[in-house]
């Protein structure tokens, strides 16, 4: 998988996604990969994950493999980590200063790797004495810089995550906010759509998955239904993730109550927990039947016009009958009463 690279003025920036797979530098014949390992080489892990007490240190290894033909000097770096909206891990670009677990890692500034060879680079993770309990995300990476024949610098970066769980009281919890909107149809015989948007925030100190459930309820329980939102994976402590759900066949019943419930779920069996209350949020959305009311208004106007027209018709008929009767009596010489 190729490393992704981005541009930022005349400064170096990191690739927009971290992967532990071969990567090619933009405009160069450099291809490399970075994987966790031990002093002997790769050990089959996808990333580093460990549990530590405050003040504890651990030495790990990153294996930088040069898949090209030429010797390359790779810049090595560490940074705070985070998860994107899609649940993929990333780390801060090189032009942003780390303030958390990215500063716990010490590693050499660079490593030179001959073509077709690999170098094992040790690095040390040291948990501060005052580190708070819970999950702390960071990453390590190897990168190359190229200009691609222009003035704008490009940094292509490949690496893996380093997850540290500091021992202590763990708090798997979520906060939830929700909003909803209703879109009716011009055709009064078609139902509308309720769109529900929600934001899940990890208010605890463990990274979580979440399974949102959305319930739509009309007046007096009319048109009740519950749907499952897409599972949200890997929410790090302090991060917020968003989701939306569209519920069709929503007739304009005046208003709907919308309830969103999200159950925190462990990211793996090894990091399981239980007895956690789900987060919930409730909102109300107006669903006014304007097209239907317009049809009723037009129907009422038509009925009123029709009744008035019939009344005028009957009155005119009665007047014509009375006039004809009077004329007939006059011709017959019968006095008109």
């Amino acid at each position: 998988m190729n490393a992704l690279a981005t541009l930022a003025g005349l400064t170096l920036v990191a690739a927009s996604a971290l992967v532990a797979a071969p990567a090619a530098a933009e405009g160069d014949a450099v291809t490399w990969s970075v994987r966790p390992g031990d002093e002997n080489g790769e050990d089959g892990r996808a990333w580093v994950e460990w549990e530590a007490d405050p003040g504890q240190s651990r030495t790990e290894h990153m294996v930088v493999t040069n898949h090209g033909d030429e010797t390359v000097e790779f810049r090595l770096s560490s940074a705070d980590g985070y998860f994107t909206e899609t649940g993929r891990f990333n780390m801060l670009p090189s032009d942003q200063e780390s303030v958390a677990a990215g500063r716990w890692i010490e590693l050499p500034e660079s490593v030179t790797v001959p073509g077709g060879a690999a170098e094992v680079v040790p690095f040390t993770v040291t948990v501060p004495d005052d580190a708070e309990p819970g999950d702390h995300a960071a990453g390590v990476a190897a990168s190359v810089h190229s200009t691609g024949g222009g003035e704008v610098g490009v940094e292509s970066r490949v690496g893996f995550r380093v997850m540290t769980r500091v021992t202590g009281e763990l708090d798997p919890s979520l906060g939830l906010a929700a909003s909803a909107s209703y879109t009716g149809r011009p055709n009064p015989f078609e139902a509308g759509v309720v769109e529900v948007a929600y934001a899940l925030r990890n208010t605890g100190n463990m990274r979580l998955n979440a399974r949102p459930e959305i319930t739509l309820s009309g007046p007096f329980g009319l048109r009740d239904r519950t749907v499952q939102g897409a599972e949200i994976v890997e929410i790090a402590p302090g991060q917020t993730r968003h989701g939306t759900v569209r519920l069709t066949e929503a007739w304009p019943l005046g208003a709907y109550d919308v309830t969103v419930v999200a159950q925190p779920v462990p990211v793996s069996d090894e990091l399981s927990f239980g007895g956690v209350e789900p987060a919930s949020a409730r909102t109300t959305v107006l669903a006014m039947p304007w097209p239907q009311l317009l049809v009723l208004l037009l129907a009422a106007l038509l009925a009123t016009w029709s009744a008035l027209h019939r009344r005028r018709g009957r009155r005119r008929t009665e007047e014509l009958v009375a006039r004809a009767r009077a004329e007939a009596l006059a011709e017959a010489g019968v006095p008109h009463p």
Side-chain angles (χ1 to χ4, degrees):
M1 201 185 316
N2 288 340
L4 304 178
T6 56
L7 305 179
L10 299 178
T11 62
L12 298 180
V13 297
S16 62
L18 278 180
V19 294
E26 193 80 22
D28 293 326
V30 181
T31 307
W32 75 104
S33 62
V34 181
R35 299 181 185 274
D38 54 26
E39 61 273 10
N40 299 315
E42 296 181 14
D43 59 7
R45 290 178 296 171
W47 59 76
V48 171
E49 188 163 349
W50 69 304
E51 185 174 298
D53 297 326
Q56 187 175 347
S57 294
R58 179 188 182 104
T59 298
E60 283 286 353
H61 300 80
M62 59 190 300
V63 182
V64 182
T65 303
N66 182 356
H67 299 281
D69 297 326
E70 303 294 330
T71 298
V72 178
E73 181 180 8
F74 296 96
R75 177 180 177 270
L76 304 179
S77 61
S78 63
D80 294 345
Y82 64 95
F83 294 92
T84 67
E85 280 286 341
T86 59
R88 295 192 62 182
F89 180 78
N90 205 348
M91 58 188 262
L92 294 181
S94 57
D95 60 349
Q96 294 186 27
E97 183 178 359
S98 294
V99 296
R103 303 178 63 179
W104 300 358
I105 300 173
E106 293 184 12
L107 73 171
E109 292 186 356
S110 64
V111 63
T112 300
V113 186
E119 292 289 338
V120 177
V121 181
F123 64 91
T124 303
V125 186
T126 302
V127 181
D129 293 332
D130 59 352
E132 295 183 355
D135 291 333
H136 300 265
V140 294
S143 61
V144 296
H145 172 232
S146 65
T147 59
E151 296 181 352
V152 179
V154 178
E155 184 182 60
S156 300
R157 181 175 66 175
V158 179
F160 55 83
R161 69 174 86 171
V162 179
M163 303 296 303
T164 302
R165 170 164 288 185
V166 179
T167 57
E169 184 177 354
L170 299 178
D171 176 26
S173 60
L174 288 172
L176 181 60
S179 61
S181 62
Y182 178 80
T183 303
R185 304 295 189 188
N187 185 343
F189 303 104
E190 290 185 6
V193 176
V194 173
E195 183 169 283
V196 181
Y198 50 90
L200 279 167
R201 181 171 179 81
N202 188 337
T203 55
N205 58 13
M206 301 172 60
R207 72 186 196 275
L208 305 168
N209 296 349
R211 294 174 181 159
E213 185 178 86
I214 299 90
T215 299
L216 186 68
S217 179
F220 310 107
L222 296 174
R223 304 292 294 176
D224 278 10
R225 54 183 151 152
T226 298
V227 298
Q228 297 290 332
E231 183 176 13
I232 297 178
V233 298
E234 297 275 20
I235 314 174
Q239 283 195 285
T240 300
R241 300 278 284 280
H242 302 84
T244 57
V245 170
R246 286 172 53 88
L247 297 105
T248 59
E249 299 300 320
W251 290 96
L253 302 178
Y256 283 97
D257 288 329
V258 179
T259 304
V260 183
V261 177
Q263 178 66 52
V265 180
V267 296
S268 67
D269 293 337
E270 292 77 13
L271 302 175
S272 61
F273 52 81
V276 180
E277 291 294 326
S280 63
R282 184 174 178 177
T283 187
T284 299
V285 58
L286 294 179
M288 298 303 295
W290 299 121
Q292 289 79 5
L293 291 176
L294 180 60
V295 169
L296 291 176
L297 177 61
L298 291 176
L301 290 175
L302 181 60
T304 301
W305 176 85
S306 178
L308 292 175
H309 182 71
R310 288 196 301 270
R311 185 180 300 175
R312 286 196 298 267
R314 287 196 300 269
R315 186 180 302 163
R316 181 173 177 79
T317 300
E318 291 171 355
E319 291 175 353
L320 291 176
V321 170
R323 184 183 304 171
R325 181 181 179 187
E327 291 177 353
L329 291 174
E331 290 179 1
V334 179
H336 190 274

